[in-house]
Structures are given as C-alpha cells and as structure tokens.
Amino acid sequence: ALLAMGVGPGTRVGLIAENRSEWVITYLAVTCAGAVIVPFDILLKSDELASIMRASEARIVFTSAEYLEKVTRAGAAAGTVKTIALFDAAAAATAPAGSWTTTTFAAVLEKGRVERAAGRDSYAAAAVAPDSLAALIFTSGTTGVPKGVMLSHRNLVENGDGVQQTTKLGPGDNWIIVLPFHHTYPTA
C-alpha cells in the first residue's frame, strides 16, 4: 500500500503517536519499503512540529487521535504534508480538512491486501541499500535547537544486532520499554 501511495526511496514519512503496535508496524513498513521514517517527539509544540515537518519534507504523517489536532495545525504551517493516516478510524470522520488527504491505518492495510490480491505485491521486491537513509531523527541535543540525525539501514541493523548480542532474551521473557518509541534505542 505504501508503494502504491507513492512512497519509495527518499520519501519522508512522519510518525507521531503514543507507544502502540501500529507505531511499530508503520516504522518497519516504511523502512522496509526503502523510504525514510521521521519519528516525531510527542512533546513537541505544534510550531516546533511544523518546523521539523518542513525541514524533513514529510509528505505523509501517521498519527493517532491524541495528536491529530497538533498534526493538522503543524501540517498546515509546514505545507509539505500530502496525506495524514490515522491509527484511530473513528477520528477520521472528525479530522479537520486541509491541503492533505486523510485516510486510516485500516484503509492503508486494506489497500495493501488489494494490491497483493491483484498481483501487485512489489513490496517484497523493494530493494534497500544498507547505507541509504532509513531514519531521520530530530534531537535538540544540548543546544535546544532540533537537528536531524541521519541513520542508515546499516546503523539500525547494527544497533538491533548489538542489543541481541548483549541482552539475553528468551521466549518466556517480557521487555518493558519506558521511553517513547521516537527515541532511537526503543526502535532498535
């Protein structure tokens, strides 16, 4: 569905929501399609979010009902957002109109099923180069001015591999993640 929506190598896809399974699915789907995920800090004010949307050139933003108002205000100010995809289907009916198309996560999933059923499953064939940009993470560091940190697919895989090698986890283990997913470490 992402590829059918025009998402491909270099496309910037924003993501802002509370920790939830749809957040993880979106992150993985975007990076596996060869596009660039831009996870936004949930604590950003709408003007800060607009600035980062503009700087990152985010074309699609996945969000939840909790952050919809902030995303629409920021999206209008940024001028780059073409699609807002909502994790909460009920919120789509009340989503403010703008220069973007509003869809739901469920509709994106269904579009993927239709594409696959029609024999247009190009997602499995999407080539991802190890050193191509996978994630653009904005962090204020010590200056307070957010800067985009570019992470390649290799960076993410090495981070995940390092966690796997240093953390003994088995089928009966549970892992509590206390940080929001937009932090780099929880997404590895």
Side-chain angles (χ1 to χ4, degrees):
L2 290 173
L3 296 173
M5 292 168 67
V7 173
T11 304
R12 311 298 171 87
V13 178
L15 176 57
I16 182 169
E18 60 280 0
N19 288 3
R20 56 192 294 166
S21 58
E22 295 93 335
W23 196 103
V24 176
I25 293 165
T26 301
Y27 192 106
L28 292 173
V30 168
T31 57
C32 288
V36 180
I37 192 71
V38 186
F40 300 125
D41 184 340
I42 59 174
L43 298 177
L44 290 170
K45 296 178 183 131
S46 66
D47 61 327
E48 295 168 325
L49 181 58
S51 177
I52 292 173
M53 283 179 175
R54 192 172 23 264
S56 68
E57 300 176 352
R59 283 189 23 212
I60 299 173
V61 177
F62 284 82
T63 192
S64 66
E66 178 76 21
Y67 301 98
L68 178 59
E69 183 180 337
K70 184 188 302 191
V71 167
T72 56
R73 274 188 276 125
T80 61
V81 178
K82 304 297 180 213
T83 304
I84 294 176
L86 283 158
F87 294 142
D88 310 294
T94 61
S99 60
W100 51 80
T101 302
T102 302
T103 189
T104 65
F105 186 74
V108 173
L109 292 177
E110 183 56 30
K111 184 174 185 67
R113 288 184 193 100
V114 169
E115 290 293 312
R116 179 174 290 141
R120 295 185 297 266
D121 187 13
S122 53
Y123 183 75
V128 176
D131 292 318
S132 65
L133 184 60
L136 185 55
I137 299 172
F138 283 81
T139 178
S140 60
T142 57
T143 66
V145 178
K147 291 169 278 311
V149 177
M150 300 185 301
L151 298 175
S152 69
H153 289 275
R154 184 184 314 274
N155 293 144
L156 296 179
V157 169
E158 291 291 335
N159 192 10
D161 191 45
V163 170
Q164 182 180 349
Q165 289 181 28
T166 60
T167 307
K168 302 244 186 261
L169 293 173
D173 293 332
N174 293 309
W175 197 352
I176 297 174
I177 300 175
V178 296
L179 292 172
F181 285 160
H182 74 271
H183 285 265
T184 307
Y185 185 76
T187 60

